[in-house]
Structure formats: C-alpha cells, structure tokens
Amino acid sequence: MSQNWRSKFITQGVARSPNRAMLRAVGFGDGDFEKPIVGVANTHSTLNPCNAGIQPLVDRAIAALRDAGAMPQMFGVPTITDGIGMGTEGMKYSLVSREVIADAIECSVNGQMMDGVIAFGGCDKNMPGCMMAMTRINVPGIFVYAGTIKPGRWKGKDLTIISAFEAVGAYAAGSMSEEDFTGIEKNACPTVGACGGMYTANTMSSSFEALGMSLLGSSQLASPDPEKADSAAASARVLVEAIAAERRPRDIVTR
C-alpha cells in the first residue's frame, strides 16, 4: 500500500522527470521515489542554549526515518529568544516570530507536497510556531522537544536562569557581592537546553504530550542526555507508522 500519498504528485509519472532529477541531486535513488517524504523542521541555532542542542536530535531522527523506509528532507527555521532580546528593540520581533516560524514550516511542507513532518523546537517561540504549522498543514506530524537545560551550581546551590535575573536586582541593591554576582552569571547555564524550571518551554512541552503531539515522557528529558536523542529517533519511527496508517481508511473506501 502506497505511503507516499501526497509526494507521489511530485515524484511519479513521465511529466515529473525534472522533479526527480532535482531530487536525485539531493540523494534520492531509483527506489526512493516510492517512499514517503518527511519534512524535518530544524530550528537548531547557536543563538541561544534553548536551540543549540537540537542538531544531534535531528541527526538521530533523520537516521531513524531512513531506517524506517522514509525519505527525510530537512529545512531550516528561524528563531529568536526572549531571554536575550528582552529589554531591547529586539523584543518587537518576539511574538511576530511565531507566525514567521509557522509560515516557514507550512511553506516548506506544503510547497513540496510532503507526506508528514517532524518538527523540533526548544524555546518560547519556535515551540508554538511548530504546533501552529502542524495544525495548518493537516498531515501526520510529531513534535520533538529539544529538552531542558541542566541546573547550574554555585557555592552548593542549584541555579537556573532566574538566579541570574535575581542576582541583577540583588547586586544593584548592594546585597550581593561582585564575586557571587559573577559566579552566578558564569554558572547559571552549564549546558544546552531550555530554561530549567516550569517556565514557558517546559510547560508547553508537557502540554504537547497531553495533546498527543509528542511521545509520552519525552518532555522530561534533559537536552544533553543520550535518552533525549533516543526519544527523537523513537519519534521518527512513530511518525512513519502514522503516515502508513493515515491512508488506510481512504484506501479501503476507494477500492
């Protein structure tokens, strides 16, 4: 039973020879045009720790998609972070960026008639942007959360990014030493990952699980841990199964 239910319109038949020629240039072979094409919405960037750990997850997912019989096509998605832009003119772009992200994913997936999409996100804006896009596109999709950051430590105490914000006030008020102020800044974010704590990113990742758009338990894993990459690969396999199941009712009806 065909799983390339949508992408076949750009890969099948004599008239699509130019399409296939271009796809061959990016790694398609003779047997690949019958496989489902899965979009991989990659929000990796080094602009912030929230998204700086995404590329290894994408790599694992791409390998899993290929092993499961799909053809992944990765594309980039822009992102910004409130934690760095706040208090500047850059924050004028924050809320707007969600629509830009959603539009970028929708354009890529629908523009090339992909059969499904796996979207990666790790911060306040690209996470809802990915979800908005998947609801618009209406093809099988799954979201992979980049994962939370690990806690920092300073003088025996756990730190999060909130510790750095609080330190600004304490230092300005004269109730914190320069040593502690600098120590907190240097140790608050020791790894890649979203802000530690039930702030926006971790809260949204939990809600995505509840909605059935992410694998159960996937929101609890820290970004740099090996289990996070394992979860990304598992998400890819589940998506391919969903794509295969997507067409069964209609195929039965039309026979």
Side-chain angles (χ1 to χ4, degrees), residues 98-255:
R98 294 183 303 185
E99 292 290 343
V100 174
I101 293 162
D103 290 347
I105 296 173
E106 181 181 1
C107 286
S108 295
V109 174
N110 279 349
Q112 291 197 214
M113 302 293 288
M114 297 177 187
D115 301 297
V117 60
I118 180 168
F120 293 78
C123 69
D124 300 359
K125 298 304 174 289
N126 62 31
M127 294 177 70
C130 288
M131 292 292 285
M132 289 160 62
M134 286 193 286
T135 57
R136 293 179 192 173
I137 296 166
N138 196 30
V139 300
I142 194 165
F143 178 82
V144 177
Y145 178 40
T148 187
I149 197 171
K150 290 194 169 183
R153 296 280 291 177
W154 176 249
K155 293 186 175 180
K157 295 184 178 180
D158 285 344
L159 302 175
T160 70
I161 189 61
I162 299 302
S163 305
F165 285 114
E166 292 173 344
V168 171
Y171 183 69
S175 60
M176 177 178 287
S177 68
E178 184 174 355
E179 177 194 11
D180 287 337
F181 178 73
T182 304
I184 290 172
E185 176 185 323
K186 290 183 176 180
N187 292 280
C189 298
T191 69
V192 295
C195 300
M198 288 310 291
Y199 311 129
T200 310
N202 282 328
T203 300
M204 284 194 294
S205 69
S206 300
S207 69
F208 293 174
E209 273 192 35
L211 289 169
M213 296 304 295
S214 295
L215 294 188
L216 288 176
S218 61
S219 67
Q220 305 166 21
L221 308 174
S223 183
D225 286 350
E227 293 85 357
K228 186 74 248 187
D230 294 341
S231 177
S235 299
R237 291 190 290 269
V238 168
L239 176 59
V240 175
E241 293 173 1
I243 292 171
E246 170 73 9
R247 304 310 296 168
R248 286 172 188 164
R250 297 186 188 181
D251 287 340
I252 292 172
V253 169
T254 56
R255 284 183 176 177

Side-chain angles (χ1 to χ4, degrees), residues 3-8 10-12 19-20 22-41 58-59 61-75 108-109 112-118 140 236-237 239-241 243-244:
Q3 297 180 24
N4 59 335
W5 62 279
R6 211 163 72 128
S7 62
K8 66 183 180 182
I10 64 170
T11 62
Q12 303 297 308
N19 309 53
R20 293 191 294 273
M22 297 186 75
L23 290 171
R24 289 180 188 277
V26 294
F28 280 64
D30 288 343
D32 295 331
F33 299 108
E34 305 293 331
K35 299 176 181 178
I37 295 178
V38 176
V40 180
V58 169
D59 293 340
I62 286 176
L65 288 169
R66 292 187 184 278
D67 290 344
M71 289 302 293
Q73 285 197 299
M74 183 182 68
F75 53 90
S108 295
V109 174
Q112 291 197 214
M113 302 293 288
M114 297 177 187
D115 301 297
V117 60
I118 180 168
R237 291 190 290 269
L239 176 59
V240 175
E241 293 173 1
I243 292 171

